[in-house]
Amino acid sequence: MANLDTVKAKNLNQFDGLAPYGCRFSVLTTDALGNSRQVAQASPNVEVVTADPARIRSSMLGSLLQLLRTRRFHLAELYPSSHLALVMAAMVKAWRLPLVIVARGEEWYYLTGQMSRRQRQSFRMTYRLADHVIYKETYMEPLLRDLGKRSAWMLPNAVRVPERTHVHEPGRCTLLYMNSMKDFRHPKVPLEAFLRICQRAGLRGDSPIRMRIVGFQGERASDPVVRSREAELRRMVAGRDVPVELHPWTTEPGPWLDQADVFLLPADVVFLNYTLLEAMSREVAPVVQATDASDRILTHGESGCILPLSVDAWEEAMEQLIGDHALRARLGRAARARVQECFSLEAWAERYHRIYESVAGGRT
């Protein structure tokens, strides 16, 4: 696996899920958070190779060359997130390895015109070098057709379903938004809706009914859009005695999800958000934006709420969920059942292994 910015906990699903099939991984990462080896140390079938932060480009390419020379690989997975990916793709092809692009989200910026001309050219050329594509979002399909990628598999995210389930208590409710502030997500909408509820119900800062927004990058945010959005959210609650908490981005979402009763995902891309699945697996009632394929994850009124991007609509749904713990519990149970049926790690790993067998063919 090449060109990861960091090894995350969700990558362990791939490593651990495919371990019973005898799969081993060499992971080449820029290690943006500096903890990739620590995250992966629990997976014995993984070796992590990190870039030298003082010379990322040369050390990444040098490390890839060293891996190609000293390991016997069956295939290479590549994350197409930079011009560096194009050079890596060319190196893999020169080694005559099957090249698999893992489409993880950069495609959104290509389709919405947010890449520079040079970035678009590199992106297209990287894709054209690929033999196969693994993708997880339905919005990516037109791009794959445009690029002529006939060998493509849709492999949505999957999660491990915890044994412990959630207890929804009357008189208490924590609403959670936990994602980044990228331009296709809209945390301002549920925040504005919640502030209206606070004003009407007289909720103060010590209320057991709370909203938490987790995902602020602060000074680490390089995207001016993200910085602007974070500043706007802070201004909305500054100086107000309201039960709203703003927290930094975290690599450990579990404790936040365990304390949540309602998970909020106002986003133009909902299918298939990993944190949403984690929340659903814990019986946290999901509320998502009505967008492409939202109804492929949950059913409105049965396993969650699917809403238009309207403050009025979110206010009404959030107020109903806050006041009805039995409704939250019913939606949460159905959401968990949906994950168990369609998005479990076991079924996902079996599917991934079949893809590997198809790609690698008879390579030994």
Side-chain angles (χ1 to χ4, degrees):
M1 300 175 67
N3 207 34
L4 276 74
D5 54 358
T6 186
V7 176
K8 301 176 182 177
K10 63 183 178 182
N11 295 120
L12 302 186
N13 286 343
Q14 182 176 359
F15 306 148
D16 299 343
L18 290 167
Y21 297 97
C23 297
R24 298 184 60 83
F25 299 87
S26 295
V27 180
L28 180 56
T29 171
T30 57
D31 197 26
L33 299 179
N35 65 345
S36 292
R37 285 197 175 93
Q38 180 181 352
V39 171
Q41 66 183 359
S43 299
N45 59 329
V46 180
E47 67 166 336
V48 175
V49 180
T50 60
D52 181 345
R55 48 186 192 91
I56 287 179
R57 180 182 175 86
S58 60
S59 66
M60 286 283 279
L61 296 178
S63 295
L64 177 59
L65 182 59
Q66 179 69 10
L67 286 171
L68 291 171
R69 284 174 169 172
T70 59
R71 306 289 189 276
R72 181 177 293 177
F73 294 115
H74 291 81
L75 59 91
E77 286 189 358
L78 180 66
Y79 286 56
S81 58
S82 65
H83 180 70
L84 187 60
L86 174 58
V87 182
M88 289 182 163
M91 292 173 65
V92 169
K93 295 297 291 182
W95 232 260
R96 301 184 183 277
L97 274 178
L99 176 61
V100 182
I101 289 290
V102 180
R104 63 171 191 170
E106 286 77 12
E107 293 72 17
W108 175 263
Y109 299 107
Y110 179 92
L111 289 168
T112 55
Q114 298 183 59
M115 287 185 175
S116 68
R117 182 177 179 181
R118 181 173 182 267
Q119 288 173 326
R120 289 178 64 85
Q121 289 176 337
S122 295
F123 190 81
R124 291 181 68 89
M125 292 173 68
T126 302
Y127 255 88
R128 292 195 184 282
L129 285 174
D131 301 296
H132 314 275
V133 178
I134 295 175
Y135 69 102
K136 62 181 180 179
E137 309 280 5
T138 54
Y139 76 82
M140 298 173 178
E141 291 171 347
L143 172 62
L144 299 179
R145 289 193 294 269
D146 178 56
L147 295 176
K149 305 313 295 184
R150 291 184 296 275
S151 180
W153 292 273
M154 186 175 192
L155 191 68
N157 282 324
V159 295
R160 194 181 305 278
V161 179
E163 294 183 7
R164 186 170 65 87
T165 57
H166 187 69
V167 177
H168 292 269
E169 301 178 24
R172 306 182 65 87
C173 184
T174 297
L175 302 105
L176 175 67
Y177 172 93
M178 186 164 64
N179 266 291
S180 68
M181 313 299 170
K182 293 180 179 178
D183 62 350
F184 55 84
R185 299 190 180 119
H186 313 286
K188 179 182 176 181
V189 171
L191 177 56
E192 186 173 341
F194 186 67
L195 291 175
R196 288 185 185 178
I197 295 170
C198 290
Q199 183 176 11
R200 186 166 55 255
L203 302 181
R204 302 303 180 199
D206 58 354
S207 172
I209 298 169
R210 315 190 64 76
M211 180 175 181
R212 290 172 173 164
I213 301 179
V214 181
F216 283 80
Q217 297 182 42
E219 296 299 322
R220 294 187 295 108
S222 58
D223 187 339
V225 173
V226 171
R227 291 199 299 269
S228 174
R229 284 167 165 249
E230 291 185 356
E232 183 178 22
L233 295 177
R234 290 192 180 96
R235 286 194 298 269
M236 290 175 68
V237 299
R240 303 179 67 170
D241 183 20
V242 289
V244 176
E245 304 173 20
L246 307 181
H247 296 278
W249 187 82
T250 177
T251 58
E252 299 293 338
W256 297 101
L257 293 168
D258 290 338
Q259 297 172 32
D261 298 287
V262 178
F263 184 81
L264 309 170
L265 185 58
D268 300 331
V269 179
V270 170
F271 189 94
L272 193 57
N273 184 273
Y274 186 80
T275 312
L276 169 63
L277 289 184
E278 288 189 303
M280 292 171 63
S281 74
R282 288 168 163 81
E283 296 191 2
V284 179
V287 183
V288 305
Q289 181 178 330
T291 187
D292 181 43
S294 295
D295 57 357
R296 291 175 60 175
I297 310 171
L298 54 92
T299 301
H300 180 70
E302 294 183 12
S303 51
C305 300
I306 301 176
L307 306 175
L309 192 62
S310 154
V311 175
D312 290 342
W314 284 72
E315 179 184 359
E316 180 180 353
M318 290 163 62
E319 190 166 32
Q320 183 181 16
L321 289 167
I322 288 170
D324 191 341
H325 75 284
L327 173 62
R328 298 197 305 267
R330 177 173 63 80
L331 295 178
R333 286 193 299 270
R336 176 186 171 91
R338 176 67 173 161
V339 172
Q340 288 176 315
E341 178 185 3
C342 301
F343 306 112
S344 70
L345 181 59
E346 292 74 19
W348 178 89
E350 182 181 355
R351 167 74 167 152
Y352 216 137
H353 181 246
R354 290 202 302 268
I355 292 173
Y356 275 179
E357 286 188 320
S358 176
V359 169
R363 294 181 67 91
T364 59

